[in-house]
Amino acid sequence: MVYSQRRNTGSRRLLLSLLLLTTWEAGSGQVHYSVTEEAKHGTFVGRIAQDLGLELAELVPRLFRLASKGRRDLLEVNLQNGILFVNSRIDREELCGRSAECSLHLEVIVDRPLQVFHVEVEVRDINDNAPRFFRQEQRLFILESRIADSRFPLEGASDMDIGANAELRYKLSPSEYFDLDVRANEDETNFLELVLKKPVDREETQEHSLMLIATDGGKPELTGTVQLLITVLDANDNAPEFDKSIYNVRLMENAPNGTLVIKLNASDADEGINKDIVYLFSNLVLDNVKSKFTINSNSGEIRVKGKLDYEECKLYEINIDAVDKSTFPLTGHCKVIVKILDENDNTPEMVITSLSLPVQENSPLGTVIALISLSDRDSGANGQVNCSLTPNVPFKLVSTFKNYYSLVLDSALDRESVPSYRVVVTARDGGSPPLSATASVWVEVADVNDNAPAFAQPEHTVFVRENNAPGRHICTLSARDPDAQENARVSYSLVERRVGERALSSYVSVHAESGRVFALQPLDHEELELLQFQVSARDAGVPPLGSNVTLQVFVLDENDNAPALLPGGAGELVPRSLGAGHVVAKVRAVDADSGYNAWLSYELLQPAAAAGGARGPFRVGLYTGEISTTRALDEADAPRQRLLVLVKDHGEPALTATATVLLSLVESGLAPRASSRAPEGAAGAPTALLDVNVYLIVAICAVSSLLVLTLLLYVALRCAAPPGEGEGAGAAGKPALVCASAVGSWSCSQQRRQRCAPGRVRPRPTSWPSAPAFLRVLE
């Protein structure tokens, strides 16, 4: 009845401890909770969402989740209320063995943006493991001749719990012959000996049966028992004795086979065969110990037999018996405690998780790329791990907790410069020599639309002959965008504007994908000398980026206009008294073309002849169209002179027009002055014409020289600049258009002499005055 009440009281105390011992604290960058092992499913651990500063409404959208090494189902979070609770059975001994500290390390990961929190849940021990003996019974053989206070080693019990729950007390069942002596060695483990209180008599009792009870310090207390069967032997007076009852040996792990551990020495006071000693492993020695060590029965040398691994076992206890060779042998006992020393034989282990790839090139500094956790099975400095990165990468490692790192962005990224990085993470322990492990992470840089399409030059100049076919390809524009995919897909369009009374799109068009520019209709040099407009290039990014280029299209003249005669000078009255060199009429003509195509010359097709086949009395100026007398008129000349004047330009092929001039020869008293110019006499006319020709020749030479220099300069600029695309593509920069004549003087349309705004349509001229040769440069 009392025992039942104690159990109920212990259960209530256990439940109360589960509720009261669940605490938390924030420190060293983590949240700390504690929970007792064997807690029931659903046991409250802590308000993890509140303690981490997270809102309950954002747990599900931000993909709140737990991550931990090993088993992940021990603890769980209720996403509705943010409470961390026990999900399945927690066994501290299964998790941490007999380690004094036992914690569950959790990583709380939330996305959008990525955040990592470290949570440590301490698992507190309860007294759930009873002391346990490795054997159900232990057999001892004792000679009846053994004196009082003789001692015999016993195998103690073990308890998987820690602290007070593992502090064992031993009790021996009552006996008049035997008592129990418990001593603690330097490793704080119990050394048990059965003490003979008084000599036994084999003839009286051949076998004694005792019960050894081990009790731990938990609440409630748990016990374990083993039966001791003692057989009384009738032999030998003196048992072998060792120098020490306990030998402590330190041995490096990975010691090669055959390494000497210790050489034992026991002595026996007897003589003869009773003094000869054999060294044996006690029947208390477990099989795993026998697999690691061997003993020489004659010399007492203990040597390494198998592989010693500090991470597998740190300490071995070896019970040795020294038995003499008498018919009734006596046995001496000792214990060899072998401590294994750690070597740096385990390389660090590295786990890279939660990779946020690819990384946007406009990601802010401090963006978390990956999580790195490190571990090393060694201990001490051999298990202390540092982490480093390859140099010259825009990333760095940030320590978030012990052996936990975050790979974060340290400097700005530019995909157009470096599209990806190979990041090598090196983990190195503190051993001597140190061991290291490496892991590679390919970090791809994702493109953002941060580059606008760019043309090779801000202006392009092309030359197109007038009267082109509709739809003719003028040139091809190309813009380069260093971005990728949609951000680099460029489309072209016209920047719409008005050209005179018409829209620009009625003259030209641009293909949206290829950038090819086409003339939609024939261009007329006489209407439009220069068509200047802008083409826009836009990428397909969000938002789109773009740039413009200016295209200058010079329309080159062709000889498509014949000379046009101006009214006036068709009929004139000429006095017969005129001498040679007098101007009697003038043929006026203009040509809507430019340059050589507008340079006109005149000649008589049917000169009037005098009576008797003499030379005709009239001639026409080659470039002036002035009709003058070649000699003095006389009575033999017909009274009506019909002159047919051919007007011809210098185009290829040349176009012509004809003018008919009717002259009436009258007496001097009846005719007005034939010319507004004062008569100079026959002698003065050739001199005036000669002066004019000299001026014309000098002007033509000057214009021709300047034309040659201009063409040389234009060719040099074309060779120095990158070649243009498309038909008739010009060099970069502002073009120079040169109109000149190689011989004689020429006429150029008034349209060419006027400075016009690019792309502006101007009306045809109404008057075309003759002029000497000239040079004009459009800038």
Side-chain angles (χ1 to χ4, degrees), residues 363 365 393-395 409-413:
S363 298
L365 301 185
V393 292
F395 308 100
L409 185 61
D410 188 40
S411 60
L413 300 176

Side-chain angles (χ1 to χ4, degrees), residues 565 569 581-589 600-608 615-631 642-648 657-661 663 677 689 693 696:
L565 296 172
H582 283 273
V583 176
V584 297
K586 185 174 184 178
V587 177
R588 292 180 175 85
L600 303 181
S601 60
Y602 304 85
E603 61 179 293
L604 289 177
L605 292 180
Q606 297 178 1
R615 181 165 62 97
F618 301 102
R619 66 178 180 184
V620 64
L622 180 61
Y623 302 112
T624 62
E626 294 179 344
I627 300 175
S628 59
T629 57
T630 60
R631 56 179 175 79
R642 184 177 183 276
L643 305 179
L644 188 60
V645 179
L646 176 66
V647 183
K648 180 173 65 173
T658 57
T660 302
V661 179
L663 299 178
R677 199 168 53 176
L689 289 176
N693 289 337
L696 287 175

Side-chain angles (χ1 to χ4, degrees), residues 346-392:
N346 292 281
T347 58
E349 297 179 359
M350 187 185 321
V351 178
I352 301 177
T353 58
S354 299
L355 297 176
S356 300
L357 299 177
V359 182
Q360 295 285 338
E361 62 176 324
N362 63 343
S363 298
L365 301 185
T367 299
V368 178
I369 309 301
L371 304 179
I372 302 171
S373 60
L374 306 174
S375 62
D376 195 312
R377 295 182 60 208
D378 293 322
S379 62
N382 297 332
Q384 295 178 358
V385 184
N386 293 319
C387 199
S388 62
L389 290 180
T390 51
N392 302 323

Side-chain angles (χ1 to χ4, degrees), residues 37-99:
E37 66 173 333
E38 305 296 341
K40 294 182 179 180
H41 173 77
T43 298
F44 174 87
V45 178
R47 299 184 182 277
I48 189 170
Q50 176 180 341
D51 297 338
L52 294 177
L54 300 176
E55 298 292 336
L56 295 179
E58 65 181 0
L59 296 184
V60 175
R62 292 188 65 186
L63 302 180
F64 182 97
R65 61 191 185 274
L66 288 181
S68 64
K69 289 187 177 180
R71 297 182 59 185
R72 301 185 179 183
D73 57 348
L74 299 179
L75 300 174
E76 191 55 77
V77 176
N78 187 330
L79 298 181
Q80 303 301 321
N81 55 25
I83 292 178
L84 180 67
F85 64 93
V86 176
N87 188 45
S88 61
R89 175 177 174 267
I90 302 176
D91 188 351
R92 192 201 65 80
E93 288 73 28
E94 180 182 348
L95 290 175
C96 305
R98 300 198 61 184
S99 175

Side-chain angles (χ1 to χ4, degrees), residues 531-651:
L531 180 61
Q532 181 172 300
F533 56 91
Q534 287 187 327
V535 175
S536 173
R538 293 288 183 274
D539 58 31
V542 178
L545 301 178
S547 62
N548 296 342
V549 65
T550 299
L551 184 63
Q552 298 182 103
V553 180
F554 282 93
V555 183
L556 301 180
D557 183 51
E558 286 190 346
N559 194 26
D560 57 345
N561 290 281
L565 296 172
L566 299 179
E572 295 288 347
L573 297 178
V574 179
R576 286 184 177 273
S577 61
L578 290 179
H582 283 273
V583 176
V584 297
K586 185 174 184 178
V587 177
R588 292 180 175 85
V590 295
D591 196 312
D593 293 324
S594 302
Y596 282 99
N597 299 327
W599 182 18
L600 303 181
S601 60
Y602 304 85
E603 61 179 293
L604 289 177
L605 292 180
Q606 297 178 1
R615 181 165 62 97
F618 301 102
R619 66 178 180 184
V620 64
L622 180 61
Y623 302 112
T624 62
E626 294 179 344
I627 300 175
S628 59
T629 57
T630 60
R631 56 179 175 79
L633 300 178
D634 53 27
E635 296 297 331
D637 294 320
R640 295 182 61 83
Q641 299 284 334
R642 184 177 183 276
L643 305 179
L644 188 60
V645 179
L646 176 66
V647 183
K648 180 173 65 173
D649 59 28
H650 285 70

Side-chain angles (χ1 to χ4, degrees), residues 212-354:
L212 179 61
I213 303 171
T215 305
D216 62 24
K219 293 183 180 181
E221 298 177 346
L222 300 179
T223 61
T225 60
V226 64
Q227 187 177 16
L228 303 180
L229 297 177
I230 304 170
T231 301
V232 180
L233 300 177
D234 185 18
N236 225 342
D237 296 330
N238 295 286
E241 293 182 1
F242 288 94
D243 299 336
K244 298 178 181 178
S245 59
I246 299 176
Y247 295 89
N248 290 285
V249 180
R250 297 177 182 271
L251 188 64
M252 297 297 296
E253 69 172 326
N254 302 319
N257 290 344
T259 300
L260 178 64
V261 179
I262 190 173
K263 186 180 187 305
L264 299 175
N265 184 29
S267 61
D268 196 313
D270 294 328
E271 297 291 337
I273 193 172
N274 293 331
K275 188 176 184 179
D276 295 337
I277 298 175
V278 176
Y279 299 92
L280 302 171
F281 285 128
S282 169
N283 55 4
L284 301 177
V285 177
L286 303 178
D287 292 337
N288 72 315
V289 178
K290 293 180 181 179
S291 66
K292 304 294 184 182
F293 303 96
T294 182
I295 186 170
N296 188 311
S297 60
N298 295 320
S299 64
E301 292 180 348
I302 299 178
R303 295 184 179 272
V304 176
K305 176 183 177 181
K307 176 177 172 50
L308 301 179
D309 189 354
Y310 174 85
E311 288 71 39
E312 180 181 334
C313 183
K314 300 176 177 60
L315 183 142
Y316 294 92
E317 293 185 1
I318 309 173
N319 291 294
I320 305 297
D321 291 342
V323 183
D324 58 28
K325 295 182 180 181
S326 67
T327 304
F328 301 99
L330 296 178
T331 305
H333 310 282
C334 76
K335 178 180 286 189
V336 178
I337 299 177
V338 181
K339 291 185 178 180
I340 306 301
L341 303 180
D342 183 46
E343 282 189 351
N344 192 24
D345 58 343
N346 292 281
T347 58
E349 297 179 359
M350 187 185 321
V351 178
I352 301 177
T353 58
S354 299

Side-chain angles (χ1 to χ4, degrees), residues 95-146:
L95 290 175
C96 305
R98 300 198 61 184
S99 175
E101 297 180 0
C102 184
S103 298
L104 293 173
H105 294 282
L106 307 177
E107 289 181 359
V108 178
I109 303 175
V110 292
D111 292 332
R112 304 170 187 167
L114 178 64
Q115 288 182 285
V116 181
F117 305 92
H118 295 280
V119 178
E120 183 180 18
V121 180
E122 178 186 357
V123 180
R124 302 174 66 90
D125 183 51
I126 65 173
N127 193 24
D128 59 339
N129 291 281
R132 178 176 174 271
F133 292 90
F134 288 96
R135 293 178 177 82
Q136 295 181 354
E137 63 179 23
Q138 295 185 27
R139 286 187 172 273
L140 298 174
F141 299 90
I142 301 176
L143 285 172
E144 62 178 351
S145 60
R146 296 299 294 268

